[in-house]
Amino acid sequence: MHIILKNHVAELVSDFGYSGLGESKLFEVFCNYCVVSRHFLGRFDPKEVTTESDDAAIDGIAVVIDGDLITTIEDAEEVFKTHKTNLLVDVVFMQAKSGEAFQKAEIANFKMGLEDFLSFNPELPNGELNETAAGIIKVVLANLKRVRNRRPNAHVYYCTSGTYKAEREIKAAFDVIARYMRETEYFFNIAVTPAGRGEILKYYADLSDKNEAKLTLIDYFGMPSMPGIPQSYVGVVSAKDYVEALLVDSDGVLKQSVFEENVRSFLGLDNDVNTAIQGTLKDDGKKKLFSVLNNGITIVAPEIALTPNTREIHLTNYQIINGCQTSSTLQANRELLTNDVNVVIKFIESPDNGVSGDIISATNSQSDISKEAFYGLRSKAKLTQKYFDAKNQHAPADGRIYFERRQGEFRGQGLQISRTFDVKEIARCYAAMFLNQPHNAARYVSTIFAASGDNLFKEDDHESYYYCAALALYKYQTLINGRRNGAHNYLKVRWHIIQVFKWFAHGNTQVPEPNSKKADAYASKMIDVLHSDDRKYIPIFEKCQRAIDEIGMPTSDSLKRGRFSQDLADLVRGKLAK
């Protein structure tokens, strides 16, 4: 393996605390992390999308529905039970070879694996991930009326540590894969990508590099400085320049990362509003009026620099917080963007995360946006983030964890991924540990907000409970990834493990309410154990594992039912009452 790739693989191993995996398997995990991150913006453990070693010629499979990485058949079914229609579905297939050659025989073998998998009646070995992914895709195919373009998109990657030179036979081998994928008629858009060292390094860099751009304004005016907003401008820019400078990458692909703080994703070109935008662009008369017919776009960035004489504005780590529909429709109709199509953009510099959150909430108050999108903007979430920061000042280096309240705000800071929790993960940890709902935490992530939304980030909750729950999961996850103390055998019940951890840590099942004056002391006792130099938490986790053994490992179905959580709780109560 190339030395630079080897170093990046080592970084991934450090980030997730992996051990016991060989070089070729780690390269597969690394490549899966890089390519799946192009289609899914959230946090995930790449081992979850990596197949087992004997699985037929496919090293990774991921299904992303409506922006969420779906890992179980039940979660896929939950997505299609919601009121949403026009759901974007992306299916990612990956094969990785740590050698430097693109070999025709290996590419042909990959095609054979795809054919076998997509037959939905495989003859080659298929492990749990393959079977689950096939089941998820079947759910998608059964709900095509609610899928954008009536079919999912397919993204096929073949990765090596070498350089792709598009030699005739090798290119033909990839063309054969593309033809086969089209012939299945399962997919709408199909992309087959040979990814060599250069491409993989770029994918990895995109995950951590700062998001920077510069744009020339046609005209602008500045607004007075305001508390938390050192400078802001309203400018008129060329729509074509806007798309090329801020919206697409070097391959012309829309950069989904710039919309991370926009609470509503692109609704597709068949949405009424976007159809109207597209109609304006197709009308030679109206397109010249675009800047007055359209509501405009709002961009927030912690750093903005404007050069008045050239009218050039520089943006660092910018986010398009309002105008996702306009932006995405402009990008989808790039060929219609002539020099007389302009757009109005509001540029706001806001280094203060709290002020940024207020702006996001105020500019995205549409009634049809799911309420869970705003949990990170709640004042309790802001206080919880400050609590994490305060605890990190005194926590040992190996015990520091971070609450990324606004997605992407820690980009480029070099923080280990396994130490960073977004709003959804914090909510799942808290619900599992202190609301005694590990079965909901184990389900489709949005379920936790539907089931427990009124009890999440309440104003009178003590922040220590959120921190303690996340710290417990982090410590147990390090045991899982390190394959220590048998923890990796309990991966799927990790939410139940942290539920009962609190009871074993205190020796009883009496838990103060989150708004109780006793809550801080209760959480602090566990936090001290979890930060202890002699790892006092390990024997407690082992007790939790033995309790699981005694009651029996649940099936995938019972794992997500309250009955198993209750039976486990009753078992532990009985043990501690003796």
Side-chain angles (χ1 to χ4, degrees), residues 187-461:
F187 306 103
F188 181 73
N189 286 324
I190 297 166
V192 178
T193 304
R197 178 171 65 247
E199 290 77 18
I200 297 170
L201 290 174
K202 180 182 179 299
Y203 300 161
Y204 187 67
D206 287 344
L207 295 173
S208 56
D209 287 354
K210 285 186 176 181
N211 198 22
E212 296 181 306
K214 60 182 179 180
L215 183 64
T216 299
L217 310 180
I218 295 172
D219 204 353
Y220 73 94
F221 69 86
M223 292 185 282
S225 63
M226 292 164 266
I229 302 176
Q231 56 181 331
S232 55
Y233 307 92
V234 175
V236 179
V237 306
S238 161
K240 184 177 181 181
D241 291 348
Y242 166 64
V243 170
E244 293 178 352
L246 273 71
L247 296 186
V248 298
D249 60 20
S250 57
D251 298 323
V253 178
L254 188 67
K255 294 193 289 189
Q256 297 292 343
S257 60
V258 302
F259 299 107
E260 288 173 351
E261 290 304 310
N262 196 300
V263 296
R264 185 169 63 180
S265 60
F266 183 46
L267 300 176
L269 292 174
D270 53 355
N271 169 266
D272 290 343
V273 172
N274 297 334
T275 298
I277 294 174
Q278 185 172 240
T280 300
L281 295 174
K282 290 180 177 180
D283 188 316
D284 290 335
K286 287 185 177 181
K287 70 193 310 181
K288 298 177 182 179
L289 302 174
F290 190 86
S291 59
V292 295
L293 296 176
N294 185 265
N295 287 333
I297 293 158
T298 303
I299 297 176
V300 168
E303 298 176 40
I304 291 179
L306 177 68
T307 307
N309 60 330
T310 62
R311 296 179 178 175
E312 189 172 75
I313 192 166
H314 292 250
L315 307 168
T316 301
N317 286 341
Y318 63 92
Q319 282 288 303
I320 299 167
I321 64 169
N322 191 261
C324 175
Q325 307 308 311
T326 294
S327 300
S328 300
T329 304
L330 288 173
Q331 187 272 339
N333 292 275
R334 291 172 70 181
E335 73 282 356
L336 300 176
L337 302 183
T338 53
N339 292 332
D340 49 7
V341 181
N342 301 321
V343 64
V344 175
I345 302 178
K346 187 186 297 180
F347 300 94
I348 302 173
E349 181 180 78
S350 179
D352 186 325
N353 283 339
V355 174
S356 294
D358 292 339
I359 297 169
I360 294 166
S361 181
T363 55
N364 289 279
S365 56
Q366 299 98 320
S367 60
D368 59 339
I369 293 176
S370 59
K371 66 178 183 178
E372 60 262 27
F374 294 103
Y375 276 88
L377 305 179
R378 290 187 174 185
S379 58
K380 177 54 60 176
K382 297 174 185 177
L383 288 173
T384 300
Q385 186 181 53
K386 291 180 179 179
Y387 185 90
F388 273 60
D389 294 341
K391 295 298 287 186
N392 282 339
Q393 293 180 14
H394 307 286
D398 65 351
R400 292 172 188 158
I401 57 174
Y402 305 87
F403 178 15
E404 191 177 59
R405 186 174 57 81
R406 294 173 57 241
Q407 194 170 34
E409 66 181 303
F410 294 151
R411 182 188 297 273
Q413 296 188 23
L415 300 180
Q416 285 186 335
I417 296 164
S418 60
R419 296 176 182 272
T420 309
F421 295 77
D422 61 15
V423 171
K424 291 179 180 179
E425 286 297 294
I426 292 290
R428 294 171 88 181
C429 292
Y430 176 77
M433 189 175 225
F434 290 108
L435 299 183
N436 293 318
Q437 295 181 10
H439 49 285
N440 284 330
R443 296 171 66 193
Y444 175 48
V445 66
S446 293
T447 302
I448 205 66
F449 295 98
S452 311
D454 293 340
N455 293 314
L456 297 172
F457 297 109
K458 292 171 64 177
E459 287 304 306
D460 55 356
D461 288 347

Side-chain angles (χ1 to χ4, degrees), residues 12-76:
L12 187 79
V13 170
S14 175
D15 278 349
F16 287 96
Y18 294 147
S19 66
L21 299 177
E23 182 178 277
S24 61
K25 176 56 69 173
L26 285 173
F27 184 69
E28 292 174 11
V29 173
F30 176 78
C31 290
N32 280 329
Y33 180 61
C34 292
V35 301
V36 173
S37 294
R38 302 191 76 203
H39 307 280
F40 172 63
L41 298 178
R43 300 188 176 280
F44 69 103
D45 185 335
K47 283 173 62 177
E48 293 182 352
V49 295
T50 302
T51 60
E52 298 170 14
S53 57
D54 61 345
D55 286 344
I58 300 176
D59 293 328
I61 309 173
V63 183
V64 180
I65 305 178
D66 193 32
D68 284 328
L69 180 64
I70 303 301
T71 56
T72 70
I73 295 171
E74 293 81 2
D75 287 353

Side-chain angles (χ1 to χ4, degrees), residues 39-40 62-70 72 75-77 79-80 84 87-91 136-137 139-140 146-147 444:
H39 307 280
F40 172 63
V63 183
V64 180
I65 305 178
D66 193 32
D68 284 328
L69 180 64
I70 303 301
T72 70
D75 287 353
E77 292 170 342
V79 175
F80 289 106
K84 293 184 178 181
L87 299 173
L88 178 64
V89 180
D90 292 298
V91 183
I136 293 171
I137 295 172
V139 172
V140 171
R146 305 183 68 185
V147 174
Y444 175 48

Side-chain angles (χ1 to χ4, degrees), residues 478-510:
T478 60
L479 297 180
I480 291 172
N481 290 337
R483 302 178 71 84
R484 297 193 294 271
N485 302 88
H488 56 285
N489 297 316
Y490 300 85
L491 171 64
K492 73 177 185 179
V493 292
R494 61 193 183 279
W495 304 109
H496 294 80
I497 292 288
I498 66 171
Q499 175 200 19
V500 300
F501 177 88
K502 64 182 183 293
W503 295 328
F504 282 123
H506 282 273
N508 63 73
T509 56
Q510 301 301 311

